[in-house]
Structure formats: structure tokens, C-alpha cells
Amino acid sequence: MTKFPVYNICNISASPTPPDEDILVEDFAEYIERHYAKLNYPHRHAFYHIVLFTAGNGTHTIDFKTFPVQAGQAYFMIPGQVHGWQFEGKVEGYIINFSETYFKSFLLNSAYLDQFSFLVVIVTKA
């Protein structure tokens, strides 16, 4: 089994953040400029990850399935998914990273997330 690096919000944010940082919202072009050297290779996140592309081209591979990058597309990833980028030129957009703790802090029932299949990690046995 291949091991992929796992990043948390603090070790990829723009500025030094306290260890309890639970959310990061940033311009995608600036974010990727700083982190592309490590984030274009397959990796995992320990947080939820939303990317909205407003310009650019390339590919985005999530769990070994490749998708096109183009303006108007949004990608939503759950903790633990493997993904990587291959951009063609400059890309623009926005990124939101947030922890499960942050998201659940707004809910009266923490099991509410289980109702949405795109928020649930699917475990399969090989």
C-alpha cells in the first residue's frame, strides 16, 4: 500500500497559525503558488477541502480518478481522500479548508453529517 503525506490546516496555511486553527479561507492562486511543489503530488488532508475554480485549466485527480479543471467547477473533498493537481498555466479561484470540529460546532446533532453521502468516508475492503 502506498503511503501519501497527510497535511493539516496548520502546516499548509499562509501564515503561522495556532495549533487549534480550524478554518482557512484563501485566494487559490496565492495558496497554490506557495504550496504547488508539494500539493501537485498525491497527498491527503486531515480536513474538509473545497476548491472553486474561476479560471485555469489542467487536471485534478481525486481517489485516482482524473477530472478536468475549468472555470466554474467546484471540488469538495473529505478527510483522507487522495488527490493531486496538474495545472496548465495559471489557475484562479478560492479555497476553503475546515476541520470536522469546526463544521460540527454549528450543528445541534453531530450525526447530521452522516445524511450527506459526499461528507462520509466510504471504507472498502480489498
Side-chain angles (χ1 to χ4, degrees):
M1 183 172 169
T2 304
K3 293 211 174 211
F4 298 100
V6 178
Y7 299 112
N8 64 41
I9 294 171
C10 292
N11 66 12
I12 60 172
S13 63
S15 60
T17 55
D20 62 347
E21 186 71 35
D22 285 323
I23 188 165
L24 170 73
V25 179
E26 193 170 349
D27 176 88
F28 188 70
E30 294 173 14
Y31 174 88
I32 207 67
E33 185 177 318
R34 281 189 318 281
H35 303 294
Y36 190 71
K38 63 182 172 185
L39 296 184
N40 70 318
Y41 295 105
H43 61 280
R44 299 179 191 268
H45 295 284
F47 50 85
Y48 291 92
H49 184 64
I50 301 172
V51 180
L52 170 65
F53 291 102
T54 58
N57 291 296
T59 59
H60 184 195
T61 303
I62 305 170
D63 289 340
F64 311 102
K65 184 173 179 181
T66 302
F67 302 93
V69 167
Q70 54 193 16
Q73 283 191 311
Y75 290 100
F76 185 92
M77 288 155 281
I78 59 176
Q81 286 188 290
V82 175
H83 84 114
W85 317 98
Q86 293 298 318
F87 297 125
E88 298 168 7
K90 186 175 178 178
V91 292
E92 295 180 10
Y94 302 94
I95 189 163
I96 303 171
N97 297 335
F98 58 92
S99 70
E100 184 174 355
T101 304
Y102 179 80
F103 196 69
K104 286 185 174 184
S105 71
F106 296 101
L107 303 174
L108 294 175
N109 176 2
S110 64
Y112 182 74
L113 295 178
D114 297 336
Q115 296 179 45
F116 303 98
S117 60
F118 63 91
L119 294 173
V120 178
V121 177
I122 299 171
V123 178
T124 58
K125 294 185 179 183

